[in-house]
Amino acid sequence: MTLRQRYELVENKVAQACDACGRNREGVRIIAVSKTVDLDAVEEAIAVGVHDFGENRPAELLRKFEAFPQERWHFIGNIQSRQLPSIVGRACLIHSLYERKHAEKIDSLAAKAGIVQDVLIEVNDGEENKQGLEPDALFEMLAFCHGLKHVRVKGLMTMALRGDLQSARATFADLAILRDTMNSKLAASGMADMVLHELSMGMSDDYLEAIPEGATMVRVGRAIFSDDYAG
C-alpha cells in the first residue's frame, strides 16, 4: 500500500471506532509518529492531510520542525534536561513530562521565550522499568505544575503493555478514570483553572482499544509509514 492508502485506512478505522462507541470523530487526533522516516516521507504525509507529527529525539524534532515549521510537532520521547532547549517552543505539546526538575526547566525556557509550553504528564501503567509517574504521585505533580506560570498541563499520557490488547484496554480505561479523578480533586483543591482534557494513549497495535476508553490522541507510526506493517 502507499502512504496515502495506509493513512486513509487508519482514518477510516478511527472513524469507525468513534462511531461504534458514540464518539465524535473530531474528538480524536491522529499523531503520525515520524521518528523512523526522513523529510520526504513527512512531506508526502503532509500532502495526504497529516498535520500532527510525533518525534522522540530532540535533534530530529528540531530538524523536521525547521523543514516544516507550519506543522504541529509533538515530542513523545524521554526528556533529558540538556536537550530541552531544542524542544521547548518547537513542540506544540510535550507528551512525556513526569519529573519536577524537567517541569522547572521547561518553565524557565518558556519564560525566556515568552510562551506557555503545553505538556502532558506521563503516567506509568505499573510495568517495571517503564518511565512515568505512579498514579499515587500524580496529584502532587499537578499541584507543582499549577504553580509554574509558563507550563500548562493539558492532560495525561501512557503506554500500554504491547502484545496484550485486553491488558492495554484496561490500562487505557484506568487512565481515563484517573484523569476524571484528578479533575475533581483539582477543582476541590482550588485549582479548577487546571483542567485535564487530553488523553494521549494508543499506538499502531492498540489505538482501536484506546478510542472506546476516551483517547483524544493516538500515536500511530508504523501503521502509516511502514510498508511492512500488517495490522
Side-chain angles (χ1 to χ4, degrees), residues 8 10 14 16 20-21 28 59 62 65 73 77 86 118 133 144 153 158 168 173 184 186 188 194 221 230-231:
E8 288 178 348
V10 171
V14 169
Q16 290 168 8
C21 64
V28 181
L62 177 58
F65 172 86
W73 293 94
S86 296
D118 288 338
L133 270 180
F144 178 77
V153 181
T158 198
S184 296
L186 287 166
M194 178 184 280

Side-chain angles (χ1 to χ4, degrees), residues 88-161:
V88 173
R90 296 181 176 88
C92 66
L93 184 64
I94 298 172
H95 288 232
S96 46
L97 176 64
Y98 65 93
E99 293 192 58
R100 287 191 180 194
K101 64 179 182 180
H102 293 151
E104 289 178 319
K105 183 70 176 288
I106 292 169
D107 184 64
S108 175
L109 290 167
K112 290 177 183 177
I115 63 170
V116 176
Q117 177 65 59
D118 288 338
V119 303
L120 304 179
I121 304 298
E122 183 172 0
V123 177
N124 191 315
D125 70 347
E127 187 180 349
E128 290 187 16
N129 302 320
K130 189 180 286 187
Q131 64 188 44
L133 270 180
E134 296 295 327
D136 289 347
L138 177 58
F139 183 74
E140 288 185 5
M141 180 63 170
L142 292 172
F144 178 77
C145 290
H146 185 266
L148 301 176
K149 294 182 179 179
H150 297 272
V151 173
R152 180 166 48 217
V153 181
K154 303 287 286 184
L156 308 176
M157 185 272 262
T158 198
M159 297 176 63
L161 179 67

Side-chain angles (χ1 to χ4, degrees), residues 4-66:
R4 176 182 292 276
Q5 289 171 326
R6 290 191 296 270
Y7 177 64
E8 288 178 348
L9 181 60
V10 171
E11 271 284 355
N12 288 337
K13 287 183 175 181
V14 169
Q16 290 168 8
C18 289
D19 187 59
C21 64
R23 294 188 61 191
N24 188 326
R25 168 63 189 89
E26 299 305 312
V28 181
R29 182 180 299 188
I30 298 171
I31 312 298
V33 179
S34 51
K35 64 183 184 180
T36 62
V37 302
D38 212 337
L39 299 180
D40 57 343
V42 172
E43 187 172 25
E44 185 178 357
I46 293 168
V48 304
V50 179
H51 297 291
D52 287 273
F53 294 90
E55 289 289 331
N56 69 343
R57 291 189 295 166
E60 275 297 285
L61 174 75
L62 177 58
R63 184 172 77 98
K64 290 171 181 169
F65 172 86
E66 289 178 344

Side-chain angles (χ1 to χ4, degrees), residues 201-223:
M201 55 191 194
M203 300 189 292
S204 286
D205 292 336
D206 55 21
Y207 69 95
L208 295 179
E209 278 63 45
I211 290 170
E213 300 305 334
T216 64
M217 298 180 181
V218 292
R219 308 181 303 275
V220 182
R222 287 174 297 126

